[in-house]
């Protein structure tokens, strides 16, 4: 019989574990379901849970369950119980004494822990109706601090209070304390996450607004600088040098503002794609023609390898052009004079690849993980000193993924890098 009862205890503890796992953050629901389950399976006459509020220094009821099957909970008792706000310094109340001393207390008086909310006569009447004789008060202790009190009214009318469920009564306070503590921690994490999401939204709104406001005056500055630099009147070489530097920095700022605006739209899921059927080679060829002049200026051998088939894809022409331009632009930026850059295509089942290879500095294995992060700057001194926002590859990766594609990189220090973009293909036909 003892083994049977112990198995019942273990089964009940397992049910309590399931309740805790299913109601991770709802403290009141956890307490209610645990008290109901304990009363049903352990056949205790009553169970109460009190919780300490450190901010107000008061102890309030969290849950009550009465096990008498044929008698409903007395409205007077229920009202009194859930209106209780015990001062944590009121030592007349046995709940406070249990909390302060962190020790088990036993009593045969309901009023001892409902004082001053119910008088002695009312408490005696309630005890008589429910057959409540003895109460055990256990402190709920977590990390050495008492956080509340659990009160169990045993099913026996006289001592010993617990015959087969002594082990359960000893374990319950610890299990309940951990459950409530975990729920409170989860609630704090949820509240912190909500606050972080609010701050993140405010940040996105600020970045979007600031980017819009900055873009207009920066464009105006760029226009005036262009007008001055292209006036027929002679400008002194020194003044022209200063103005050219100002124009370059203005371009840099406009690019940064545009990148910040794009990131804000991407992370706010507001970036819209104008999807159409496209010739991928034509897009790459246009970028190649645009940047060929810059490659020639650096004496870089820039090659576009033709592909025998027309690669038809579905995507946003402007966004994909931006992707290709960013990758090729990086190759031009980090490839020294007399170096080589080539673009070639591959086709594999339903995917086409665009590969941009260069003979630049190369990227260390340590730095490869930083490439597609926001404001990611590489540790290599030669690369880190090169001007850039640290946003281009992050944006590139996001745009490629919006097209249901992937981006990869292979690199070796001193030998160069190959960036590869893989996109779903609609059709490949010979031309």
């Amino acid at each position: 019989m003892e083994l049977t009862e112990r198995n019942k205890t273990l089964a009940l503890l397992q049910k309590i574990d399931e309740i805790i796992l299913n109601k991770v953050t709802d403290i009141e629901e956890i307490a209610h379901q645990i008290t109901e389950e304990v009363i049903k399976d352990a056949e205790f006459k009553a169970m109460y849970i009190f919780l300490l509020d450190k901010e107000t220094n008061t102890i309030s009821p969290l849950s009550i369950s009465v096990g008498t099957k044929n008698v409903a909970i007395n409205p007077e008792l229920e009202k009194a119980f859930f209106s209780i706000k015990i001062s944590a310094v009121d030592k007349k109340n046995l709940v406070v004494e249990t909390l302060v001393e962190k020790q088990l207390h036993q009593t045969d008086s309901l009023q001892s822990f409902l004082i001053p909310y119910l008088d002695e006569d009312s408490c005696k009447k309630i005890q008589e109706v429910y057959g409540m004789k003895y109460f055990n008060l256990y402190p709920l202790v977590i990390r050495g601090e008492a956080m509340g009190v659990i009160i169990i009214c045993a099913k026996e009318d006289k001592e010993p209070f617990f015959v087969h469920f002594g082990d359960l009564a000893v374990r319950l306070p610890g299990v309940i304390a951990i459950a409530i503590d975990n729920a409170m921690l989860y609630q704090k994490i949820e509240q912190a996450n909500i606050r972080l999401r609010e701050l993140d939204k405010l940040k996105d709104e600020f970045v979007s607004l600031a980017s819009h406001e900055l873009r207009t005056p920066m464009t105006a500055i760029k226009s005036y600088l262009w007008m001055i630099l292209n006036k027929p009147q002679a400008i002194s070489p020194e003044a022209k040098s200063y103005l050219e530097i100002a124009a370059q920095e203005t371009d840099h700022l406009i690019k940064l503002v545009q990148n910040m605006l794009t990131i804000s739209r991407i992370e706010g899921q507001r970036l819209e794609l104008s999807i159409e059927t496209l010739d991928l080679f034509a897009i790459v060829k246009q970028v190649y023609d645009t940047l060929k002049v810059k490659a020639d200026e650096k004496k870089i051998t820039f090659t576009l390898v033709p592909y025998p088939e027309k690669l038809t894809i579905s995507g946003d022409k402007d966004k994909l052009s931006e992707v290709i331009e960013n990758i090729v632009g990086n190759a031009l930026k980090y490839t020294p004079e007399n170096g080589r850059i080539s673009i070639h295509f591959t086709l594999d089942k339903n995917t086409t690849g665009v590969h941009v290879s260069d003979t630049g500095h190369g990227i260390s294995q340590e730095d490869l993980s930083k490439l597609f992060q926001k404001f990611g700057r590489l540790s290599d001194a030669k690369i880190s000193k090169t001007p850039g926002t640290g946003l281009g590859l992050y944006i590139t990766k996001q745009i490629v993924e919006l097209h249901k594609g992937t981006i990869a990189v292979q690199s070796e220090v001193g030998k160069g890098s190959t960036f590869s973009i893989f996109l779903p293909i609609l059709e490949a036909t010979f031309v």
Side-chain angles (χ1 to χ4, degrees):
M1 184 178 292
E2 183 179 350
L3 182 59
T4 301
E5 296 300 331
R6 285 188 178 277
N7 285 338
K8 287 182 180 179
T9 298
L10 292 174
L12 177 56
L13 289 171
Q14 185 176 359
K15 287 182 181 179
I16 292 173
D17 284 340
E18 291 173 359
I19 292 169
I20 293 168
L21 291 172
N22 291 330
K23 305 288 182 182
V24 178
T25 60
D26 194 332
I27 297 175
E28 291 184 3
E29 188 62 25
I30 288 173
H32 172 72
Q33 289 195 18
I34 288 176
T35 53
E36 290 291 323
E37 202 65 48
V38 170
I39 289 296
K40 182 181 73 173
D41 287 8
E43 300 178 4
F44 294 156
K45 290 188 174 178
M47 181 172 169
Y48 314 83
I49 299 177
F50 287 84
L51 195 62
L52 171 66
D53 185 338
K54 289 185 178 180
E55 291 185 2
T56 61
N57 203 30
T58 57
I59 306 166
S60 303
L62 192 60
S63 179
I64 177 175
S65 184
V66 176
T68 306
K69 296 178 180 178
N70 299 322
V71 182
I73 296 178
N74 186 295
E76 188 177 7
L77 171 63
E78 189 173 17
K79 181 180 178 182
F81 182 79
F82 284 106
S83 63
I84 288 174
K85 293 285 184 183
I86 304 168
S87 171
V89 296
D90 183 6
K91 294 185 179 180
K92 294 180 182 179
N93 193 299
L94 194 58
V95 168
V96 176
E97 192 175 344
T98 303
L99 194 77
V100 172
E101 295 179 3
K102 302 177 191 175
Q103 292 182 353
L104 166 68
H105 284 78
Q106 298 174 330
T107 180
D108 60 0
S109 171
L110 180 67
Q111 194 200 18
S112 65
F113 55 86
L114 291 183
I115 190 172
Y117 296 92
L118 282 180
D119 57 37
E120 187 175 356
D121 289 339
S122 297
C123 286
K124 285 181 177 180
K125 184 177 179 182
I126 291 168
Q127 283 188 247
E128 183 179 345
V129 170
Y130 291 104
M132 297 177 183
K133 297 292 184 181
Y134 301 100
F135 304 92
N136 277 16
L137 287 77
Y138 298 87
L140 298 176
V141 181
I142 194 78
R143 292 185 291 277
E145 291 188 14
M147 62 186 301
V149 173
I150 175 176
I151 303 171
I152 295 174
C153 179
K155 61 183 178 180
E156 288 81 15
D157 291 339
K158 58 183 179 180
E159 294 191 67
F161 302 135
F162 306 101
V163 178
H164 302 302
F165 284 93
D167 186 45
L168 174 63
V170 171
R171 292 190 187 188
L172 270 178
V175 171
I176 293 173
I178 292 171
I180 293 174
D181 183 60
N182 285 344
M184 293 172 72
L185 290 174
Y186 273 115
Q187 283 185 347
K188 287 180 180 179
I189 292 171
E190 279 192 342
Q191 291 169 359
N193 285 335
I194 290 170
R195 179 58 179 159
L196 284 173
R197 285 194 292 270
E198 290 173 350
L199 291 173
D200 200 45
K201 185 178 178 182
L202 288 173
K203 178 210 68 177
D204 286 342
E205 291 175 353
F206 169 76
V207 169
S208 181
L209 179 62
S211 299
H212 277 294
E213 293 298 320
L214 284 169
R215 190 166 53 176
T216 301
M218 294 308 301
T219 303
I221 292 170
K222 179 181 178 180
S223 299
Y224 285 122
L225 286 170
W226 184 89
M227 290 170 62
I228 294 172
L229 286 168
N230 288 275
K231 272 190 174 183
Q233 292 90 342
I235 303 174
S236 69
E238 186 178 13
K240 186 177 181 181
S241 174
Y242 294 152
L243 289 171
E244 286 175 345
I245 293 172
Q248 290 174 4
E249 293 303 317
T250 301
D251 283 336
H252 176 72
L253 283 174
I254 291 173
K255 180 67 173 175
L256 175 61
V257 168
Q258 184 59 45
N259 284 344
M260 294 293 288
L261 187 57
T262 301
I263 287 175
S264 175
R265 288 171 178 166
I266 289 172
E267 295 186 344
Q269 297 182 346
R270 300 188 307 274
L271 186 68
E272 296 181 359
L273 299 179
S274 299
I275 302 296
E276 56 183 310
T277 301
L278 303 169
D279 180 348
L280 182 59
F281 184 83
I283 293 174
V284 176
K285 179 69 165 59
Q286 185 176 10
V287 174
Y288 170 81
D289 291 339
T290 302
L291 296 179
K292 184 71 167 62
V293 176
K294 188 174 182 180
D296 292 340
E297 289 175 356
K298 288 187 70 175
K299 299 178 182 178
I300 291 173
T301 303
F302 190 19
T303 307
L304 173 60
V305 181
Y307 198 74
E309 297 179 68
K310 181 179 180 181
L311 304 170
T312 305
I313 64 169
S314 178
D316 185 310
K317 182 179 180 181
D318 292 337
K319 297 293 186 296
L320 289 175
S321 295
E322 181 182 343
V323 165
I324 303 299
E325 185 175 341
N326 187 41
I327 292 176
V328 176
N330 280 344
L332 287 168
K333 186 188 299 183
Y334 297 114
T335 300
E337 287 189 2
N338 301 313
R340 297 186 307 276
I341 297 174
S342 66
I343 307 173
H344 69 277
F345 298 81
T346 58
L347 183 62
D348 180 22
K349 294 182 181 179
N350 299 320
T351 303
T352 182
V354 183
H355 310 275
V356 180
S357 301
D358 64 61
T359 58
H361 303 296
I363 305 164
S364 68
Q365 292 299 312
E366 178 187 352
D367 283 335
L368 283 176
S369 60
K370 303 175 185 177
L371 279 178
F372 302 106
Q373 296 177 5
K374 277 188 294 186
F375 302 106
R377 300 296 292 166
L378 307 187
S379 57
D380 189 300
K382 292 181 180 179
I383 299 176
S384 60
K385 290 180 180 179
T386 306
T389 63
L391 297 173
L393 286 176
Y394 173 80
I395 293 172
T396 295
K397 184 174 186 289
Q398 301 303 313
I399 292 175
V400 169
E401 290 179 351
L402 285 173
H403 284 81
K404 299 180 181 179
T406 58
I407 184 169
V409 58
Q410 292 180 323
S411 186
E412 187 175 344
V413 176
K415 293 188 177 181
S417 307
T418 297
F419 282 80
S420 302
I421 301 167
F422 300 97
L423 296 167
I425 191 169
L426 296 178
E427 187 181 15
T429 55
F430 282 100
V431 292

